[in-house]
Amino acid sequence: GIRWATDNGADIINMSFGTSNLSDEGDLVLHEAVQYAYEHGVTLIASSGNGNESKLFRPAVNYPARFEEVLAVGSVDFRGEHVPSSDGGPNLDLVAPGGDGSVGIVQETFYQNLGFRTFAVGWDYYYKHGTSMAAPHSCGVAALVKSLHPDRGPEEIREALRSTAVDLGPAGKDDYYGSGLIDAGAAVLY
């Protein structure tokens, strides 16, 4: 999917999927696809993961978010506070609205139990939560930056998002919020 999107003109790829452990073969295939996209000027953004369901902070983001070519995005709730299930650590770049189990993000999607054969049936707004909701928020901001600055490459877009993020938690980059909460208005002006 990453290669196909790259070959078909994608500027930004959202990866709201991940795993904490990859086999050597799986790691190689996924990382090669990520590198291919990055080398072709695609900005890659991935959810950090929701491995902290035990409420014990896990200081490692999932793959593909852990790859250096990928912007790793964690989740905050409606108050801008760290969501306990959101994975973090030194590889976390940013946070974005993702909600938690009690208050989620309203998303237009299809009802999952219907499957793809009846894709249009069940299409509606549903509450979803987690880092898979946070990553698309960051992709939207990255797309705004790219649309206003079409000459910018992935590293410049990543820098715009990180540099303009609203610092939360301890001063500076930290394991719970990364560089902070995305700020669309500041990012497009960067």
Side-chain angles (χ1 to χ4, degrees), residues 174-188:
D174 63 76
D175 290 352
Y176 291 90
Y177 299 100
S179 294
L181 179 64
I182 59 166
D183 182 335
V188 298

Side-chain angles (χ1 to χ4, degrees), residues 11-12 43 45 137-162 164 182-190:
D11 290 316
I12 315 289
T43 301
I45 299 175
H137 278 93
S138 298
C139 284
V141 175
L144 288 172
V145 172
K146 183 69 174 178
S147 71
L148 293 172
H149 309 282
D151 57 322
R152 290 191 182 169
E155 202 51 49
E156 294 165 308
I157 293 171
R158 290 161 38 126
E159 181 61 25
L161 270 61
R162 285 191 298 244
T164 60
I182 59 166
D183 182 335
V188 298
L189 296 175
Y190 182 78

Side-chain angles (χ1 to χ4, degrees), residues 40 50 70 75 100 104 107 127 146 170:
H40 284 83
N50 304 304
V70 178
S75 180
D100 58 21
Q107 174 186 325
Y127 278 100
K146 183 69 174 178

Side-chain angles (χ1 to χ4, degrees), residues 5 30 58 79 88 102 138 140 145 172 178:
L30 182 57
R58 192 175 74 175
R79 295 177 302 266
S102 60
S138 298
V145 172

Side-chain angles (χ1 to χ4, degrees), residues 51-149:
N52 289 314
E53 295 300 329
S54 64
K55 309 297 186 217
L56 298 173
F57 182 69
R58 192 175 74 175
V61 300
N62 283 337
Y63 293 100
R66 198 179 306 180
F67 295 133
E68 71 178 69
E69 299 88 356
V70 178
L71 194 74
V73 181
S75 180
V76 293
D77 64 16
F78 69 95
R79 295 177 302 266
E81 294 178 7
H82 172 75
V83 173
S85 62
S86 180
D87 293 334
N91 297 105
L92 182 67
D93 290 295
L94 298 167
V95 292
D100 58 21
S102 60
V103 179
I105 301 298
V106 176
Q107 174 186 325
E108 185 179 16
T109 190
F110 65 96
Y111 186 67
Q112 293 175 338
N113 293 336
L114 295 177
F116 288 101
R117 289 187 357 206
T118 55
F119 189 77
V121 178
W123 193 262
D124 207 346
Y125 292 92
Y126 298 97
Y127 278 100
K128 301 289 184 178
H129 63 87
T131 60
S132 287
M133 301 300 101
H137 278 93
S138 298
C139 284
V141 175
L144 288 172
V145 172
K146 183 69 174 178
S147 71
L148 293 172
H149 309 282

